[in-house]
Amino acid sequence: MENKKLLKKAAAIVSAAALLVAPGMIFPESGLSISDNAITAFAASGQDIANKAINVVDKYRGDIGCGGSDDGDWCALFATSRAKQAGFTINCNKPTYCTELVCDFISQGLYTSRRTEAYYTSQTGRYVSSKSLQDCCDTSYIPQPGDLIFFNWHGASEPQTDHVGIVEYARDGYVHTIEGNRGGSSFVRRYTISLTDSTIHGYATLTGAKKKPQVKITAAYGSRARAIEEAASRFGKSYPYSISFVQEVLKASGATSFASFTNLSINSVKKDYIANGAYASASSGYVPRPGDIALLNLDEYDDADKMVLVSSVRNSEVSGFSVDGTAKSIGVINKSQLIGYIIPFYAYDDTCDIDRSGIVDSKDLNLLNSALLGDYKLSNYEFYCADGCTNGSISASDIVALNQKTAGTVLYRGSSSALSHEVGHKSGNYFNANTGTDRKSGCMIYGPYKALSSAGAKKACFTLMVDNNDAESNKVATIDVYDSTSGRVLASRDIARTEFAAPWTFQEFQLDFNCPNKTDKLEYRVRYYANVDLTFDKVVIRSN
């Protein structure tokens, strides 16, 4: 009983603190947090870059600072030098190589790709994965003045980028560019090319106007499931310490950390988690979950020597991922080495959502029944999700827990035809409103004017995402539940930009309300204020 009280207290502290920790402070030593942008220019614009390029059209490379003893390629030097002259600070690995620029722009969320073939950069041995290119691919994107345009001359046979220029403007199906070193020329020239030309690899928008999430967002983004996927995707990659591996996984999976990781000291991280009520010792009886971090002691001293990201918990055996030279699965953790668990905060906890659809429903119940009957073998993560009682085993009690969670649950996604809109547009399964295309305030979501199956205490859970959470603390949305039968608001709250734990990460905001009677027709509304890029995933209504 004492352990349960401790864990409830820890969970409450973690949930509250997650909204108070500035995401830019999560990993300050890394140079690039999720909310940071290494391309900075407070008073500059993309048009400023285009203007700097226009000013040197038809000039010789040596006369504009792109000369020198090397008579080789200089296209990237020209493009980056115009951006720097326009006031941009470009923090990239190899700013004179277009292949390396693409690597860094992708990692900073500033690249929009038109091709998705993976390639290898020979200059520094970096690898651009097909997944990274797919995640930032948008063939419908119209480039803006000042965008950097990247070309691939050889197609899929040699998929890396070969050349870069600057977009002057796009009009009538064509993009007009200014480029240095095209075809070996020593002069800056203007060019025109079709927007659908197969040689265009993609565009970098240094102003961040076309920023994209670095990973494809799913119902489980910012979740424990995401942490396991991110960790597994790094198998074989070298890390100097296990803490650096865990740091990278937490950042990529959207988790909120309560430790800086600055000095790579596992024990200082442990102290920070203890101070925030997000640590459980090995003797506490705490049952770990995937995404928790196990601390191991490997020698005769009392301190922690190694971090292990928990990947599964089955029948008292805890397995995980860590570093032995390279990132890998280390199998079952030796309990004699275990000190305890630090517990990051994740926006989503997928307990009972076995099929990871984003909602607990009859499909999950069927999977659990099949697993108990022996007709279906649960994967490690499915096992965790099925363990609704969180005791490390599967039994009939988990059926009861799952049934309780599905009772009275209603779901409406952004793509649902049952919802109406005053402003915004459909974006895949989501609904989006942004300052580029939606220049007015209004209800981006309202409806569906439907009654619930029962009256009484309910909870409406709105899942939203913004592009930036560290600017001014202004109101970016209002969510409410409206009873259209009686004509009154049942519950409402304003949401500030800084309430989001991280940018480009879906987060749930809850409203408790009382449904007067089961015949009243209700609306669930999201009001947009035309000051942010706001995306709506779903609203889930549950019985309290």
Side-chain angles (χ1 to χ4, degrees):
M1 181 63 71
E2 195 62 34
N3 288 334
K4 288 184 178 179
K5 290 180 180 178
L6 173 65
L7 292 176
K8 286 183 178 179
K9 181 180 179 181
I13 295 172
V14 172
S15 298
L19 296 179
L20 299 176
V21 178
M25 297 298 293
I26 295 173
F27 303 108
E29 81 294 351
S30 66
L32 278 178
S33 77
I34 288 177
S35 60
D36 286 337
N37 183 344
I39 309 293
T40 57
F42 295 106
S45 68
Q47 186 61 58
D48 293 331
I49 300 174
N51 291 341
K52 292 297 182 183
I54 292 169
N55 291 339
V56 296
V57 169
D58 294 330
K59 290 190 176 182
Y60 176 67
R61 58 174 293 192
D63 295 335
I64 61 170
C66 294
S69 58
D70 181 11
D71 292 327
D73 297 343
W74 57 284
C75 60
L77 177 60
F78 165 69
T80 56
S81 66
R82 297 313 99 181
K84 289 177 181 178
Q85 283 191 359
F88 288 82
T89 298
I90 300 180
N91 181 14
C92 287
N93 188 48
K94 290 280 187 179
T96 56
Y97 293 101
C98 58
T99 51
E100 289 297 313
L101 285 172
V102 171
C103 290
D104 289 300
F105 291 147
I106 289 174
S107 70
Q108 294 162 36
L110 299 175
Y111 196 69
T112 302
S113 175
R114 294 186 71 246
R115 304 188 65 89
T116 57
E117 300 92 353
Y119 68 85
Y120 178 80
T121 64
S122 57
Q123 292 90 356
T124 55
R126 297 170 78 187
Y127 179 72
V128 178
S129 71
S130 176
K131 182 180 184 301
S132 294
L133 291 167
Q134 288 169 359
D135 289 345
C136 66
C137 185
D138 183 357
T139 57
S140 66
Y141 175 60
I142 304 299
Q144 303 300 305
D147 281 1
L148 304 191
I149 178 172
F150 291 83
F151 297 91
N152 164 239
W153 303 135
H154 304 97
S157 62
E158 294 181 31
Q160 72 177 24
T161 52
D162 301 299
H163 181 65
V164 60
I166 295 173
V167 173
E168 184 176 2
Y169 62 92
R171 186 181 301 157
D172 300 327
Y174 289 88
V175 56
H176 299 260
T177 67
I178 300 173
E179 304 168 32
N181 193 45
R182 188 177 179 111
S185 172
S186 294
F187 293 85
V188 177
R189 303 293 193 201
R190 278 189 167 99
Y191 300 91
T192 301
I193 187 170
S194 170
L195 284 169
T196 59
D197 192 284
S198 62
T199 63
I200 299 175
H201 186 276
Y203 305 94
T205 305
L206 304 192
T207 59
K210 193 57 184 175
K211 283 193 297 184
K212 284 180 166 288
Q214 296 173 25
V215 292
K216 190 170 290 184
I217 293 174
T218 69
Y221 185 85
S223 71
R224 295 174 177 277
R226 190 75 208 181
I228 305 309
E229 292 170 349
E230 290 289 348
S233 72
R234 288 159 172 74
F235 281 8
K237 182 178 178 180
S238 296
Y239 291 90
Y241 310 103
S242 62
I243 190 173
S244 56
F245 165 67
V246 171
Q247 168 195 1
E248 187 175 297
V249 169
L250 288 182
K251 177 181 173 182
S253 61
T256 298
S257 168
F258 296 104
S260 69
F261 289 77
T262 302
N263 58 5
L264 293 181
S265 167
I266 295 177
N267 291 285
S268 67
V269 172
K270 173 186 171 184
K271 290 178 181 178
D272 286 342
Y273 274 87
I274 290 174
N276 282 282
Y279 175 81
S281 68
S283 60
S284 68
Y286 172 68
V287 178
R289 296 165 289 172
D292 286 350
I293 303 163
L295 302 184
L296 305 186
N297 171 254
L298 305 180
D299 53 33
E300 68 272 20
Y301 302 104
D302 294 333
D303 58 352
D305 305 307
K306 190 169 188 174
M307 283 185 166
V308 177
L309 186 82
V310 175
S311 61
S312 69
V313 183
R314 281 180 181 260
N315 303 320
S316 79
E317 289 192 339
V318 181
S319 300
F321 303 147
S322 191
V323 171
D324 285 329
T326 60
K328 60 187 288 189
S329 172
I330 63 167
V332 177
I333 293 174
N334 184 339
K335 290 184 179 179
S336 66
Q337 299 176 336
L338 180 65
I339 294 176
Y341 301 97
I342 59 178
I343 310 165
F345 171 79
Y346 296 90
Y348 285 88
D349 198 330
D350 307 300
T351 305
C352 294
D353 185 13
I354 302 171
D355 64 355
R356 289 185 56 203
S357 63
I359 185 70
V360 179
D361 55 19
S362 60
K363 294 179 181 178
D364 300 298
L365 188 60
N366 291 337
L367 280 175
L368 179 53
N369 272 318
S370 296
L372 289 171
L373 292 171
D375 297 330
Y376 180 77
K377 184 177 181 181
L378 296 167
S379 70
N380 284 340
Y381 197 80
E382 288 173 336
F383 186 95
Y384 156 67
C385 294
D387 184 13
C389 296
T390 63
N391 59 4
S393 63
I394 302 296
S395 69
S397 297
D398 298 301
I399 294 283
V400 176
L402 198 153
N403 271 319
Q404 289 175 341
K405 202 159 186 177
T406 59
T409 299
V410 180
L411 165 71
Y412 297 102
R413 290 202 175 277
S415 57
S416 173
S417 59
L419 298 176
S420 301
H421 320 280
E422 287 181 347
V423 63
H425 53 277
K426 184 179 175 182
S427 178
N429 290 325
Y430 312 126
F431 200 82
N432 173 266
N434 62 70
T435 56
T437 56
D438 308 295
R439 301 177 182 274
K440 64 176 183 177
S441 300
C443 278
M444 61 181 290
I445 296 293
Y446 68 96
Y449 303 101
K450 291 185 178 180
L452 296 175
S453 59
S454 63
K458 309 289 181 182
K459 188 186 296 291
C461 306
F462 296 79
T463 301
L464 303 169
M465 175 175 69
V466 292
D467 59 335
N468 186 336
N469 71 325
D470 62 354
E472 67 279 2
S473 181
N474 56 329
K475 178 172 64 175
V476 296
T478 299
I479 56 176
D480 70 30
V481 179
Y482 180 74
D483 187 336
S484 63
T485 300
S486 63
R488 61 192 182 95
V489 175
L490 303 180
S492 176
R493 67 169 288 191
D494 295 331
I495 300 173
R497 184 194 298 270
T498 50
E499 288 185 71
F500 287 83
W504 294 119
T505 304
F506 279 120
Q507 182 169 320
E508 186 176 274
F509 296 88
Q510 299 181 352
L511 279 179
D512 290 317
F513 69 98
N514 186 71
C515 179
N517 61 72
K518 66 178 184 179
T519 60
D520 283 15
K521 295 181 178 180
L522 304 184
E523 279 189 83
Y524 313 100
R525 306 188 297 193
V526 178
R527 182 168 181 81
Y528 172 69
Y529 292 100
N531 58 356
V532 73
D533 188 320
L534 181 68
T535 303
F536 169 84
D537 175 17
K538 62 179 178 287
V539 58
V540 180
I541 300 90
R542 300 187 177 97
S543 296
N544 272 349

